[in-house]
Amino acid sequence: TGDEINANDEDVLWKLQSYLPKLQTLLNLTKYYERMQSSSLQLAKLSSESLHFQWTSVSSLWYSEGLRQLLSILEMFHKVLVSMDDSNEDLKHIKESVTNMVGIQEVNELSSKCQKMKQKLALLPRLAESLSTRMVSKPDGNVSENDWDVYLETLLVQGKK
């Protein structure tokens, strides 16, 4: 998220307020990537076309990166907001904005939301690798440079060499 925010900062409310648009953008982005990944996976299952598997691999990597960024900002909000009291009206507004954006009732629910994201985050790169392995393991040996690029990227994202 850039600079770390902690509840003891003098300008914590201003910093939190400044992250709300980024939070909204990341929520929209990950929703879009999730739809793209899901649609391309359905298409790949139906068609068995190499290109559709490649789209699914790439969109899974994008979705994974979007989730990683969203998780980072949500964890920051959770850490700061649960440690502050509700006496300040601006803080109440920020908590309300975050819970409305994320679709939860209480800030404490961010923890379980983040846990679910971590589970998805663990699966997406492996899905991308599995699909791209399928592309570069074609029996006819007709593998494009793009197929190899996607396959190598799926390995790099997971820290594999």
Side-chain angles (χ1 to χ4, degrees), residues 71 75 109-121:
L71 181 62
E75 286 177 331
E109 295 175 51
L110 282 175
S111 182
S112 64
K113 199 80 154 164
C114 288
Q115 196 56 40
K116 288 177 185 174
M117 285 181 193
K118 286 177 184 177
Q119 291 170 346
K120 278 186 188 177
L121 207 47

Side-chain angles (χ1 to χ4, degrees), residues 123-141:
L123 294 176
L124 288 168
R126 291 190 303 220
L127 172 64
E129 180 187 359
S130 173
L131 295 171
S132 62
T133 298
R134 212 172 180 180
M135 294 181 318
V136 297
S137 302
K138 294 179 194 171
D140 63 5

Side-chain angles (χ1 to χ4, degrees), residues 46-82:
L46 290 172
S47 73
S48 297
E49 290 289 325
S50 177
L51 179 63
H52 299 149
F53 285 109
Q54 188 179 77
W55 287 350
T56 306
S57 292
V58 170
S59 61
S60 294
L61 292 176
W62 289 346
Y63 182 27
S64 176
E65 181 55 32
L67 274 179
R68 191 176 337 298
Q69 291 178 29
L70 178 58
L71 181 62
S72 175
I73 199 168
L74 284 176
E75 286 177 331
M76 180 269 303
F77 270 109
H78 180 258
K79 179 180 148 190
V80 175
L81 293 176
V82 296

Side-chain angles (χ1 to χ4, degrees), residues 2-70:
D3 56 339
E4 195 59 30
I5 298 175
N6 91 47
N8 299 326
D9 289 348
E10 286 180 20
D11 56 351
V12 68
L13 294 176
W14 178 85
K15 286 181 178 179
L16 288 172
Q17 189 73 36
S18 72
Y19 276 101
L20 289 175
K22 183 173 184 173
L23 174 60
Q24 186 63 62
T25 299
L26 287 170
L27 286 165
N28 291 339
L29 184 70
T30 54
K31 194 179 296 181
Y32 170 74
Y33 285 153
E34 182 178 29
R35 283 191 211 128
M36 187 178 4
Q37 188 263 350
S38 176
S39 298
S40 61
L41 182 58
Q42 289 174 354
L43 188 58
K45 285 178 181 177
L46 290 172
S47 73
S48 297
E49 290 289 325
S50 177
L51 179 63
H52 299 149
F53 285 109
Q54 188 179 77
W55 287 350
T56 306
S57 292
V58 170
S59 61
S60 294
L61 292 176
W62 289 346
Y63 182 27
S64 176
E65 181 55 32
L67 274 179
R68 191 176 337 298
Q69 291 178 29
L70 178 58

